[in-house]
Amino acid sequence: MKQLVVVGAGLAGLYASCLAARRGSDVTLLTSGRGGLGLSSGRIEVWSRGPPDRAPSEAPRGHPYRRVSASDLRAAVDEFRDMMTEQGLPYEQRPGANLLLPTALGALRAAALTPGSQSLSRIPPEAQLGVAGVEGFRDFSAPLAAAGKLGRRPVRVIPDLPPPSPPGHRDLYSTDLATQFDSREDLEEVAQRWSVALRGVEALLMPAVLGWRHHAKVHHTLEQHLGIPIVEIPTLPPSVPGLRLERALHLAAFAAGVDYVEGSRAVGRVAGRSRGRRADAVAAFTPGGMRVYPAQAVILATGGALHGGWRLNSEGEGRESVFGLPLAHQADGGEWTAPQMASPQPYSYFGLRVDRDLRPLAADGTPAFENVFAAGGILAGADRTRDGSRQGIDLATAYRAVRAALE
């Protein structure tokens, strides 16, 4: 049984941990805190510039997709979808094409996979759409969502619907509403209160707050009682769909036997007998002291600067945060950003350069370590938001890194 240490608990780290553990490895996941899934829509964007399966061939030189094959990407997406189905969070996709999904601004955004509750596929083209917020919840505006007309389809604005429980003494967060729906036994009564405002509406669009732990049951029950499809639209963070995805990955990791250590700062240790060519452990610095986790292989899934995956010092030198590996970036701080906010930002492309096995490269262009691999947002070469490739890179490179680490 191979000992593998994964550093990072975002989508790439959690998915890599699940994959490796399901393949028989002894996996320890180290993380200083929560990953960024609570900020996400829960959707899987692979390649918004064209068909998702063309991403490895269409991506520009230096892009992380150039380090994986089309078969790696397909296998990664398929296993992720199967894993989520096992955890009661089924995802929908259209083979070879993107889905167009509603946003809170009334636009449509491309994604390769989506949680079923966010899909427009069950709504007939002629159906009268209604969009509604929830009383006391300020992070969603029905008039704003309707103003974009969701791909030129007319949308009727519905007055805010009453929440499952009486409002309290403060504004509601999306997590408050999700918890209320989870704990509400009589959803039929909620549907009855909503049905008056929804007369004539053949499909309801609303903020993504329909439960967290029991989302599938809540969503299905309300649709049954109302007799119309309900489509959820992701809101500002904290994002309930992102938290559902995080929970499903946690459950999959625990079921596979991953040892999850949260609240630790990770520092890589180099094996002396290997002449600096191999890592043999990762030290976790926790409030209870330091603990060393032996490793036959390490996967870095620490994300970008926002999540502490890399740092720039006052002299403009960039280093990865676990092993101090050199960063691919512009040395001149004046070149880190573009003059216009809407322009491509150079800092988005900062990260680790890697070889075909996703091993980070040293300054001389050779692998820094034989048994250290990288996946996700720590990789250089992509503006993942502009490409619509963020989650696709996470899944595909995690899949490829695990395969290389276990060979």
Side-chain angles (χ1 to χ4, degrees):
M1 182 182 291
K2 197 160 193 175
Q3 290 180 306
L4 177 67
V5 172
V6 178
V7 186
L11 177 57
L14 283 167
Y15 185 54
S17 299
C18 292
L19 290 176
R22 288 157 71 109
R23 285 155 172 73
S25 293
D26 180 4
V27 181
T28 300
L29 186 149
L30 304 177
T31 176
S32 60
R34 299 277 290 273
L37 285 170
L39 307 176
S40 77
S41 66
R43 300 166 178 173
I44 304 299
E45 296 185 1
V46 171
W47 189 242
S48 65
R49 298 180 182 273
D53 54 359
R54 294 185 189 171
S57 61
E58 292 184 350
R61 186 176 180 180
H63 195 285
Y65 276 146
R66 288 299 183 125
R67 295 292 182 261
V68 301
S69 66
S71 60
D72 285 334
L73 176 58
R74 284 194 300 270
V77 168
D78 288 347
E79 190 156 352
F80 167 81
R81 188 189 61 240
D82 293 345
M83 192 182 295
M84 292 302 96
T85 300
E86 291 170 10
Q87 299 303 324
L89 188 64
Y91 272 69
E92 180 180 315
Q93 71 179 125
R94 182 182 301 160
N98 279 310
L99 299 164
L100 294 178
L101 305 169
T103 73
L105 296 178
L108 294 173
R109 186 169 176 88
L113 293 91
T114 181
S117 65
Q118 295 185 37
S119 174
L120 295 168
S121 64
R122 293 174 298 117
I123 301 177
E126 320 78 29
Q128 171 63 63
L129 297 181
V131 60
V134 180
E135 292 175 8
F137 180 52
R138 292 192 176 187
D139 289 343
F140 182 85
S141 167
L144 181 61
K149 295 190 177 179
L150 293 170
R152 300 181 180 178
R153 295 181 65 173
V155 183
R156 174 178 147 198
V157 177
I158 308 298
D160 284 351
L161 301 170
S165 301
H169 300 290
R170 62 169 174 81
D171 292 336
L172 294 168
Y173 293 106
S174 58
T175 47
D176 295 327
L177 287 167
T179 300
Q180 288 185 17
F181 278 108
D182 272 345
S183 59
R184 184 68 188 244
E185 294 292 335
D186 186 12
L187 289 171
E188 183 177 4
E189 194 272 334
V190 175
Q192 287 176 349
R193 285 190 285 145
W194 289 7
S195 61
V196 176
L198 296 177
R199 284 176 184 164
V201 171
E202 296 170 311
L204 171 64
L205 282 71
M206 64 175 294
V209 295
L210 297 180
W212 176 27
R213 296 176 183 272
H214 308 299
H215 160 64
K217 177 183 177 182
V218 171
H219 184 248
H220 175 73
T221 302
L222 284 174
E223 285 192 326
Q224 289 287 98
H225 287 309
L226 289 171
I228 58 174
I230 302 174
V231 175
E232 290 189 303
I233 301 176
T235 66
L236 295 172
S239 170
V240 171
L243 293 172
R244 291 171 190 154
L245 173 55
E246 181 185 59
R247 180 174 182 270
L249 286 166
H250 281 160
L251 292 174
F254 298 151
V258 174
D259 184 12
Y260 190 99
V261 182
E262 189 174 352
S264 60
R265 179 174 64 88
V267 176
R269 192 177 79 176
V270 181
R273 294 182 179 179
S274 71
R275 298 183 180 180
R277 301 302 300 166
R278 295 183 64 83
D280 68 352
V282 177
F285 291 84
T286 71
M290 184 186 77
R291 183 172 177 182
V292 176
Y293 293 89
Q296 292 169 285
V298 177
I299 294 178
L300 302 174
T302 45
L306 179 63
H307 302 292
W310 53 261
R311 302 184 181 92
L312 296 169
N313 63 24
S314 58
E315 298 176 353
E317 181 186 35
R319 292 282 173 178
E320 173 272 332
S321 61
V322 178
F323 286 93
L325 298 169
L327 206 66
H329 71 294
Q330 282 93 339
D332 184 353
E335 298 179 359
W336 295 348
T337 59
Q340 302 298 323
M341 184 180 297
S343 300
Q345 298 296 326
Y347 67 81
S348 299
Y349 297 85
F350 294 0
L352 292 177
R353 293 180 302 135
V354 293
D355 69 3
R356 297 294 299 183
D357 289 326
L358 299 185
R359 293 180 297 183
L361 302 180
D364 63 1
T366 63
F369 301 103
E370 296 172 356
N371 63 334
V372 175
F373 307 85
I378 188 63
L379 300 175
D383 185 333
R384 304 193 302 165
T385 300
R386 293 179 71 89
D387 291 342
S389 61
R390 181 176 301 276
Q391 293 81 20
I393 291 173
D394 286 345
L395 296 181
T397 58
Y399 184 91
R400 179 72 185 94
V402 168
R403 195 177 75 183
L406 301 186
E407 286 179 349

